[in-house]
Amino acid sequence: MRNQNKKSIWVSPWGFAESSLIVTALMVSGFLIDLFSKNRSEIEFPYPINIIILTILFVFITAIFLTFKKSYFVKWLQSAQLAIVTISWMLLLVLLMGIFKQENSSEISIINRLYLSNILSSSAFLLLQLILLINLSFALLNRFNKLNFRNISFILNHLGILIIVIGLGFGSGDISKYTLKISKNDITWKTKRGDTEIELPFAFKLIAFRLENFPAKIGIVDNQTDEIIKGNDKIILTGQDSIIYFNGKTIRLKKYLQNSILFGKGFHLVNEIGSCSAAFVEIEDVNNKKQTAWISRGSHLYPSVLFPIDSSYTLAMLEPEAKSYKSDISVYFKSGDIQQYTIEVNKPVHINGWDIYQTDYNKELGEWSDYSVIEMVRDPWLNVIYFGVFLMMAGVVLLIFTGRINNNELV
Amino acid sequence: MNWSSFEIFGYVAIFLWLIGFIINAIKPGNKVLLFSGLAGSIVIGVFIATLWNYLERPPMRTLAETRLWYAFFLSLIGNIIYFKWKYSWFYIFSQLLAILFIVINILNPETYNKSLMPALQSIWFIPHVVVYMIAYAFLASSFIISIKGLFNKKTDIQSIVRLADNVVYIGFGFLTMGLLFGALWAKKAWGHYWTWDPKETWAFISWVAYLIYIHNRSLYKKTSKNQLFILFFAFILLLVCWFGVQYLPSAVNSVHNYAY
Ligand code: HEM
């Protein structure tokens, strides 16, 4: 390994210098291609093109490996030097992603021409994935060739990541994804993609949308900046913490109503559209003088009710935060069947190869939302990716335990 | 028990760790140090448990809460490494970092926040965050080690890089787990594994940085200072991911935004 550092460049075996030059040259060409080519469209390979390309690629790689196993070129293709350079370029490109805002913009600027605002679709990134794939494949073939216990962690990790890279790269063209706004009034059975209408594999109707809020918090607003005062002890919570001390005043929460409306002098518990959360508070000043007041967040139908503590601060109820929301839906199948499901965040349902997710609702109406936004996704490569993830997890657990063992063998 | 009693716990833990420093100054390598060192970690652990109980949700939501875990794991790792290899300098650095996190929390108490948005209410939430916290603590340890190797001329580079390896392999393993758990969870919650939101992008960047270290080590088995440089910069990237991302304008709508 040491004399490798001293050899002149381009003399076999290739090492770090050659890897850097070749990969960098490819990356620069990628950016130049993008710069000088007219708006090319996104590259996608739907089934069966992806399978064909993948098969050809692997037959090709395996054939080269088996025929030229001993050559310096194949040794280079499977080398860690090439891996380090490739991974470093990956770091660089993703760093660009972290710095330049990624957006779909049609504006013609140097940044967009170079795909800096859409790195994932840039030619350089695609090329990098290809180098990664080739490097990983050769390194794996080499290790398969001399299978032993020490190689298991290596194989699990690298086969895992190879499968993930393939699944993400080649599977993306096969993903179908529709976002639908469904309501109680009509059955949703088609959607639009651009200008074309697409018929869905099944139809949906909303039966009920159910939302539960956390109890709203009460905060103190600075009249000058209109901002809630942050920090410890400054916001009252409902329930256990029902008291705060502020500017010499003691503020106590006496009563909290989740759904109520203003009627006469106070708020009363009701459960109807537009009802809002309200709290009855008592404010005691330094001289033990007490005052009481109702405050309320209001809703789309009713205004909020605030209470001025003094000339510069106001007591206000904050926007309640959703605790959970879910939709009861009817699904109409082409066979004529109708079935009911409940979908909730983190609890999608699986129907005939499609996953149905709860994603959104009419935020303005909150719990009285008149529609529910759901997303249906079909990803035939899902299990491929899960398999890769599973392999890598196993490999990483082994790495945690064996990393040290390898160390002890170091020079 | 809520945040208002945190100061007491924080000061007690700091006091216990400082006793460890004194024991170390008098008699370096003395195992008695471990009693006070571990006691400090346990005090923080007890506070986390009671806070969890009070909040009725895992305290992993706000930055102040994650700092607690960080102080807990970091001090624990400091004790373990001291126990195994008797590195008292490591004990001092890791405990100093843990103290720093406690002090930040005492100085900037964040708001109470009882609510947990629906997307976070998942069985993946706890494993995802705990695994990340452990990873961060280990990788912070590797950062301490790299500083020692880079700036202390008397350090034996070979043994310091070996120590770093021990810590990095474990830290990287947990980091990878955190990344994968996060992706599986995102799939369940939103239907996408990976959306390259700023936090995810930076998480990937820091993961790749450590990947470079590991591959570089496997290639150049002879230890050198360059390898410590990689560790040093990798942790800077990790810090951006952890603290810096929320200040990026593009992170406003990020699901990972802990900014309150
Ligand atoms: C991202 C794409 C990756 C590429 C292109 C890559 C490539 C390589 C290559 C070419 C080698 C040297 C092959 C050899 O010595 O036979 C290697 C070694 C290694 N890689 Fe990776 N790798 C990648 C990801 C990973 C991941 C995700 C892990 C761990 C989770 C990992 C852990 C290792 C380890 C521990 C070694 C040293 C193995 C040993 O010396 O026994 N690699 N990698």
Side-chain angles (χ1 to χ4, degrees):
Chain A
M1 206 149 282
R2 214 176 277 168
N3 55 6
Q4 213 174 55
N5 296 335
K6 297 215 180 84
K7 80 171 180 58
S8 7
I9 196 164
W10 301 122
V11 175
S12 302
W14 287 359
F16 213 77
E18 291 84 354
S19 305
S20 310
L21 283 171
I22 293 173
V23 178
T24 305
L26 283 169
M27 292 299 103
V28 172
S29 348
F31 280 115
L32 288 179
I33 291 171
D34 287 342
L35 187 62
F36 292 112
S37 61
K38 291 255 150 50
N39 257 344
R40 65 171 166 75
S41 51
E42 296 263 324
I43 302 172
E44 272 197 347
F45 317 104
Y47 180 84
I49 305 170
N50 49 9
I51 298 289
I52 296 170
I53 295 181
L54 207 54
T55 315
I56 294 175
L57 203 60
F58 275 100
V59 168
F60 197 62
I61 287 175
T62 315
I64 290 187
F65 179 80
L66 292 178
T67 338
F68 302 107
K69 225 183 328 217
K70 296 250 157 60
S71 78
Y72 282 126
F73 185 63
V74 166
K75 291 236 155 65
W76 172 68
L77 285 177
Q78 74 200 25
S79 70
Q81 282 94 334
L82 179 59
I84 293 172
V85 173
T86 313
I87 299 172
S88 305
W89 263 101
M90 177 70 85
L91 181 81
L92 222 72
L93 289 188
V94 180
L95 247 149
L96 290 177
M97 266 176 82
I99 293 165
F100 289 96
K101 199 168 176 210
Q102 301 295 298
E103 58 198 347
N104 261 330
S105 154
S106 50
E107 189 191 323
I108 298 181
S109 67
I110 186 87
I111 288 186
N112 286 344
R113 289 292 290 274
L114 281 171
Y115 276 74
L116 290 181
S117 56
N118 193 2
I119 293 275
L120 290 179
S121 309
S122 67
S123 302
F125 197 81
L126 288 180
L127 274 171
L128 200 64
Q129 277 172 284
L130 189 67
I131 304 171
L132 212 74
L133 197 145
I134 292 171
N135 184 206
L136 277 170
S137 310
F138 277 102
L140 275 165
L141 284 169
N142 176 46
R143 294 279 179 128
F144 276 133
N145 213 22
K146 35 186 178 190
L147 202 60
N148 66 35
F149 180 76
R150 279 253 293 116
N151 284 343
I152 291 182
S153 157
F154 177 92
I155 288 177
L156 287 173
N157 277 320
H158 294 84
L159 192 59
I161 197 141
L162 177 65
I163 290 175
I164 295 172
V165 169
I166 289 172
L168 293 176
F170 286 83
S172 63
D174 288 339
I175 295 177
S176 328
K177 187 162 69 191
Y178 306 118
T179 304
L180 310 165
K181 206 177 190 180
I182 61 172
S183 72
K184 285 183 195 172
N185 305 327
D186 28 44
I187 296 177
T188 308
W189 60 277
K190 58 187 180 189
T191 184
K192 272 200 167 156
R193 165 106 348 139
D195 288 331
T196 45
E197 280 203 334
I198 300 168
E199 192 181 292
L200 298 172
F202 22 81
F204 299 94
K205 188 172 170 177
L206 181 66
I207 303 169
F209 176 76
R210 293 183 277 154
L211 179 143
E212 203 186 319
N213 276 324
F214 284 108
K217 287 173 208 140
I218 295 163
I220 293 162
V221 179
D222 185 331
N223 293 350
Q224 228 137 49
T225 60
D226 249 357
E227 273 179 36
I228 304 155
I229 300 173
K230 290 190 179 179
N232 203 3
D233 293 333
K234 296 283 165 60
I235 289 185
I236 313 178
L237 276 180
T238 49
Q240 286 148 302
D241 314 281
S242 47
I243 189 160
I244 49 167
Y245 305 98
F246 181 74
N247 273 5
K249 297 201 165 68
T250 309
I251 302 164
R252 287 189 194 84
L253 178 74
K254 301 301 251 188
K255 198 194 244 177
Y256 176 81
L257 304 175
Q258 184 80 350
N259 287 304
S260 61
I261 53 165
L262 183 61
F263 180 71
K265 289 214 156 139
F267 280 80
H268 298 270
L269 212 54
V270 293
N271 194 8
E272 63 180 50
I273 292 194
S275 61
C276 40
S277 39
F280 188 61
V281 290
E282 180 189 82
I283 296 146
E284 184 178 339
D285 66 14
V286 257
N287 310 321
N288 294 345
K289 230 178 78 195
K290 287 181 184 169
Q291 254 183 311
T292 55
W294 279 100
I295 57 173
S296 164
R297 171 68 207 168
S299 68
H300 65 287
L301 291 184
Y302 301 103
S304 53
V305 180
L306 309 169
F307 184 77
I309 307 175
D310 52 34
S311 54
S312 32
Y313 296 102
T314 305
L315 199 61
M317 188 169 265
L318 311 183
E319 182 103 54
E321 292 162 277
K323 184 176 183 181
S324 70
Y325 51 96
K326 46 188 132 186
S327 300
D328 299 322
I329 56 173
S330 285
V331 177
Y332 299 76
F333 294 91
K334 291 206 164 122
S335 63
D337 270 1
I338 304 173
Q339 291 213 21
Q340 290 198 359
Y341 299 91
T342 301
I343 50 172
E344 186 177 347
V345 184
N346 274 315
K347 292 180 191 117
V349 293
H350 191 78
I351 307 172
N352 292 357
W354 293 82
D355 285 308
I356 322 280
Y357 298 87
Q358 168 79 63
T359 56
D360 209 356
Y361 55 92
N362 186 338
K363 289 263 163 49
E364 199 164 313
L365 301 188
E367 53 192 311
W368 319 108
S369 172
D370 50 352
Y371 62 79
S372 175
V373 180
I374 65 174
E375 187 163 79
M376 54 189 302
V377 182
R378 204 179 81 92
D379 182 357
W381 292 70
L382 189 63
N383 288 330
V384 173
I385 288 166
Y386 280 162
F387 182 61
V389 167
F390 170 76
L391 289 183
M392 210 165 127
M393 278 188 182
V396 150
V397 170
L398 267 183
L399 188 73
I400 291 176
F401 288 109
T402 60
R404 265 170 42 68
I405 299 168
N406 290 348
N407 272 340
N408 295 339
E409 298 164 11
L410 298 186
V411 203
Chain B
M1 198 93 59
N2 63 27
W3 276 108
S4 54
S5 42
F6 176 64
E7 279 187 25
I8 305 161
F9 280 80
Y11 286 133
V12 170
I14 291 175
F15 178 71
L16 287 166
W17 289 329
L18 289 179
I19 288 183
F21 288 8
I22 295 168
I23 297 174
N24 182 61
I26 299 169
K27 219 173 161 206
N30 193 321
K31 288 238 157 112
V32 178
L33 176 158
L34 278 174
F35 286 107
S36 72
L38 275 176
S41 311
I42 291 169
V43 167
I44 297 301
V46 167
F47 179 75
I48 293 175
T50 53
L51 185 68
W52 189 325
N53 183 42
Y54 163 80
L55 292 172
E56 294 164 18
R57 64 166 174 80
M60 300 170 186
R61 179 75 207 283
T62 62
L63 272 176
E65 289 164 7
T66 56
R67 270 185 223 119
L68 279 179
W69 289 93
Y70 198 68
F72 176 67
F73 285 125
L74 202 57
S75 60
L76 214 55
I77 294 169
N79 285 312
I80 293 168
I81 287 187
Y82 176 82
F83 178 71
K84 267 197 98 161
W85 290 288
K86 298 213 177 51
Y87 291 123
S88 36
W89 63 268
F90 187 88
Y91 173 88
I92 293 176
F93 273 113
S94 58
Q95 256 56 352
L96 274 179
L97 253 185
I99 289 174
L100 178 71
F101 280 99
I102 303 267
V103 170
I104 293 176
N105 264 7
I106 291 177
L107 296 182
N108 298 310
E110 305 216 7
T111 59
Y112 300 161
N113 193 336
K114 253 184 104 143
S115 30
L116 194 56
M117 60 197 255
L120 294 187
Q121 298 165 20
S122 158
I123 50 161
W124 288 106
F125 181 47
I126 297 173
H128 174 68
V129 182
V130 169
V131 160
Y132 257 119
M133 286 298 124
I134 296 174
Y136 282 11
F138 271 100
L139 296 173
S141 311
S142 76
F143 179 65
I144 297 171
I145 294 167
S146 77
I147 289 180
K148 163 100 171 162
L150 287 173
F151 298 108
N152 186 338
K153 293 216 163 54
K154 277 182 278 177
T155 322
D156 166 19
I157 291 289
Q158 180 171 330
S159 64
I160 205 88
V161 173
R162 277 197 197 175
L163 175 65
D165 281 347
N166 292 330
V167 175
V168 170
Y169 276 100
I170 300 173
F172 178 77
F174 278 101
L175 194 70
T176 311
M177 283 292 192
L179 210 72
L180 295 176
F181 284 173
L184 293 179
W185 176 12
K187 177 74 194 164
K188 194 107 191 133
W190 294 281
H192 328 276
Y193 313 96
W194 200 265
T195 48
W196 296 104
D197 99 349
K199 188 87 171 184
E200 291 171 354
T201 305
W202 281 93
F204 186 80
I205 291 170
S206 33
W207 183 75
V208 170
Y210 285 100
L211 201 60
I212 294 175
Y213 175 81
I214 286 182
H215 285 87
N216 197 49
R217 285 293 294 136
S218 90
L219 184 59
Y220 301 107
K221 302 219 152 96
K222 199 164 164 348
T223 53
S224 75
K225 276 201 170 184
N226 295 348
Q227 289 158 333
L228 295 177
F229 270 116
I230 302 181
L231 276 189
F232 183 85
F233 287 112
F235 192 70
I236 305 282
L237 294 174
L238 197 78
L239 284 181
V240 174
C241 170
W242 191 11
F243 295 117
V245 167
Q246 57 176 317
Y247 300 109
L248 296 174
S250 49
V252 173
N253 293 320
S254 167
V255 289
H256 290 101
N257 213 335
Y258 302 99
Y260 43 83

